[in-house]
């Protein structure tokens, strides 16, 4: 896809019919024709009637912010749960939108003298579609509900083994998956794409002194993430709330790293327990940021670790910081194990 042009309008409140004012919508229609655009993306959430109203004026497909994010999510969802959540969120606006189209149809029939209470062929078709969607949504919700215990069991089993967990989080496309690969040699799929990671990826590794712990790669955060999408991917975010340490990855080469950090922390505030978890800020993509840029970003985050997940710069320093921040056993035992009891050494490594 290629961005051809952009339009900004300042209004006290959106136009209820076309979101943009009528004059600005006509101006947008002229731009769409002149640059031969086939899609207009609106950086805000539209009601179904606003989307249709704008499409009627500009004669091109209109996609709002939520639909765009969902579309990207749909391309990257791998697990059954991720796919089910995306499909569920796709169906919701369609169900709402058809409520309006039904009322429009009913009004049209009354105006034509069909009489109140009469039923046209279109109405029964819409009702049937709505019923199918409701049935599908109920099935998806049930599927997601059934998947929850399995997720909880996986987390509890890691907890029972007293394996500390580190959650890697940050704004979308900050380089979290590349960093996970550097820290664990995990071979996780890395894409230069928004929301490339949707389903939590858990990898086990060890400290230099043999303590086992896990890394969890999480969904990328974004500014003004629609509430229903935060809810939809709560399963991924639950991994964050139960971590022992947060590794917050920031794109040091981005024009607004502070805004990205604030956007992430805004979502974190909604996750139970996340605000009390220790956090390490990682300024990633140091290979792309100029020395002046890095110096400026470090004034905002003086305690941060500077790395390049792409080149490997600073990875050993970060690994050391992580290992130091992980919880340690509270009881120190000093003992001598006879050579004949190698099984005890194995037990200590597995459960110690």
């Amino acid at each position: 896809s290629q961005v051809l042009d952009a339009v900004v309008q300042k209004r006290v409140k959106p136009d209820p019919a076309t979101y943009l004012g009528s004059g600005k919508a006509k101006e947008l229609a002229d731009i769409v024709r002149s640059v031969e655009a086939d899609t207009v993306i609106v950086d805000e959430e539209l009601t179904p009637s606003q989307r249709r109203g704008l499409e009627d004026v500009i004669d091109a497909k209109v996609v709002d912010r939520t639909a765009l994010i969902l579309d990207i999510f749909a391309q990257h969802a791998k697990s059954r749960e991720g796919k089910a959540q995306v499909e569920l969120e796709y169906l919701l606006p369609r169900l709402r939108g058809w409520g309006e189209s039904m009322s429009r149809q009913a009004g049209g029939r009354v105006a034509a003298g069909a009489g109140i209470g009469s039923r046209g062929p279109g109405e029964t078709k819409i009702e049937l579609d709505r019923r199918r969607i409701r049935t599908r949504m109920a099935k998806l919700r049930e599927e997601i509900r059934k998947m929850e215990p399995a997720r909880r069991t996986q987390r509890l089993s890691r907890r029972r083994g007293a394996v500390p967990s580190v959650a890697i989080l940050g704004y979308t496309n900050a380089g979290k998956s590349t960093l996970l690969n550097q820290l664990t040699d995990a071979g996780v799929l890395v894409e230069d794409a928004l929301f490339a990671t949707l389903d939590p990826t858990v990898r086990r590794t060890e400290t230099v002194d043999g303590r086992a712990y896990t890394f969890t790669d999480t969904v990328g955060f974004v500014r003004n993430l629609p509430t229903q999408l935060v809810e939809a991917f709560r399963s991924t975010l639950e991994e964050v709330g139960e971590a022992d340490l947060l590794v917050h990855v920031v794109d040091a080469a981005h024009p607004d790293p502070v805004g990205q950090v604030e956007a992430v922390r805004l979502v974190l505030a909604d996750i139970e327990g996340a605000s009390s978890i220790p956090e390490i800020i990682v300024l990633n993509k140091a290979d792309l940021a100029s020395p002046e840029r890095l110096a400026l970003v470090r004034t905002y985050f003086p305690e941060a670790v500077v790395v390049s997940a792409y080149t490997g710069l600073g990875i050993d320093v970060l690994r050391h910081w992580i290992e130091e921040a992980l919880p340690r056993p509270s009881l120190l035992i000093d003992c001598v194990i006879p050579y004949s009891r190698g099984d005890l050494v194995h037990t200590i490594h597995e459960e110690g």
Side-chain angles (χ1 to χ4, degrees):
S1 296
Q2 185 184 353
V3 178
L4 300 170
D5 210 332
V7 172
V8 177
Q9 183 183 36
K10 289 186 178 178
R11 282 177 66 95
V12 177
K13 61 179 182 178
D15 187 293
T18 54
Y19 184 71
L20 297 171
S22 56
K24 186 61 81 171
K26 284 177 184 147
E27 182 188 322
L28 178 60
D30 293 337
I31 294 170
V32 166
R33 277 194 295 274
S34 66
V35 299
E36 297 182 348
D38 54 22
T39 305
V40 169
I41 297 171
V42 180
D43 188 18
E44 197 54 72
E45 202 167 344
L46 303 184
T47 65
S49 61
Q50 282 174 330
R51 185 180 56 76
R52 281 195 304 272
L54 198 53
E55 281 182 342
D56 289 344
V57 175
I58 66 175
D59 195 26
K61 182 183 177 185
V62 172
V63 176
D64 73 357
R65 181 187 178 84
T66 304
L68 177 66
I69 293 172
L70 264 176
D71 200 40
I72 299 168
F73 273 22
Q75 292 171 38
H76 294 298
K78 303 283 191 300
S79 70
R80 275 178 60 224
E81 185 184 17
K83 287 175 179 173
Q85 292 284 20
V86 167
E87 188 181 346
L88 184 62
E89 293 304 322
Y90 257 126
L91 293 174
L92 274 172
R94 290 178 66 188
L95 193 61
R96 291 192 201 109
W98 269 330
E100 293 175 19
S101 60
M102 276 187 78
S103 59
R104 273 213 317 273
Q105 278 196 353
R109 283 196 302 279
V110 171
I116 293 171
S118 64
R119 296 172 65 84
E123 185 178 17
T124 53
K125 168 74 168 69
I126 288 170
E127 283 177 343
L128 185 64
D129 286 343
R130 281 168 67 88
R131 191 157 49 249
R132 281 184 186 140
I133 284 186
R134 278 207 187 92
T135 305
R136 179 67 185 148
M137 284 169 70
K139 188 167 180 257
L140 287 168
R141 285 198 177 102
E142 181 62 17
E143 277 181 22
I144 292 162
R145 191 185 63 76
K146 284 178 179 171
M147 292 176 212
E148 262 176 43
R151 248 194 357 258
R152 209 175 298 116
T153 303
Q154 286 171 351
R155 278 203 301 273
L156 282 173
S157 67
R158 292 200 294 271
R159 279 271 166 262
R160 264 198 302 275
V163 178
S165 68
V166 178
I168 301 179
L169 56 99
Y171 208 81
T172 187
N173 221 25
K176 297 181 294 299
S177 296
T178 309
L179 185 64
L180 179 64
N181 282 347
Q182 279 281 9
L183 291 165
T184 64
D185 300 321
V188 175
L189 171 71
V190 173
E191 293 183 60
D192 182 19
L194 302 179
F195 308 112
T197 304
L198 274 189
D199 308 303
T201 306
V202 181
R203 292 289 176 269
R204 188 182 172 105
T205 188
E206 284 189 359
T207 62
V208 174
D209 57 1
R211 288 175 290 144
Y213 66 102
T214 61
F215 277 110
T216 304
D217 193 9
T218 62
V219 62
F221 293 49
V222 70
R223 203 178 268 105
N224 301 328
L225 188 64
T227 312
Q228 70 265 34
L229 296 186
V230 175
E231 194 57 45
F233 289 89
R234 191 157 293 282
S235 60
T236 307
L237 302 177
E238 280 170 2
E239 295 281 348
V240 175
E242 298 195 11
D244 294 288
L245 177 67
L246 304 180
V247 172
H248 186 159
V249 186
V250 182
D251 179 356
H254 191 273
D256 183 21
V258 177
Q260 291 195 345
V261 169
E262 286 171 354
V264 171
R265 285 180 173 162
L266 206 60
V267 180
L268 278 181
D270 288 335
I271 302 170
E272 190 179 344
S275 57
S276 60
I277 301 170
E279 176 190 59
I280 295 175
I281 294 275
V282 179
L283 301 179
N284 189 27
K285 303 191 182 181
D287 55 308
L288 298 178
S290 66
E292 296 79 19
R293 177 93 202 137
L294 267 177
L296 176 64
V297 178
R298 290 200 75 170
T299 60
Y300 295 115
F301 311 109
E303 301 295 313
V305 186
V306 176
V307 307
S308 166
Y310 182 72
T311 66
L313 169 80
I315 296 298
D316 288 339
V317 175
L318 174 59
R319 193 180 280 114
H320 173 74
W321 276 45
I322 289 169
E323 293 183 4
E324 284 299 306
L326 284 172
R328 292 178 178 273
S330 56
L331 193 63
L332 182 65
I333 300 173
D334 189 0
C335 62
V336 177
I337 299 172
Y339 285 112
S340 60
R341 295 305 307 274
D343 61 307
L344 287 177
V345 177
H346 174 75
T347 303
I348 288 167
H349 276 294
E350 285 298 303
E351 300 175 20

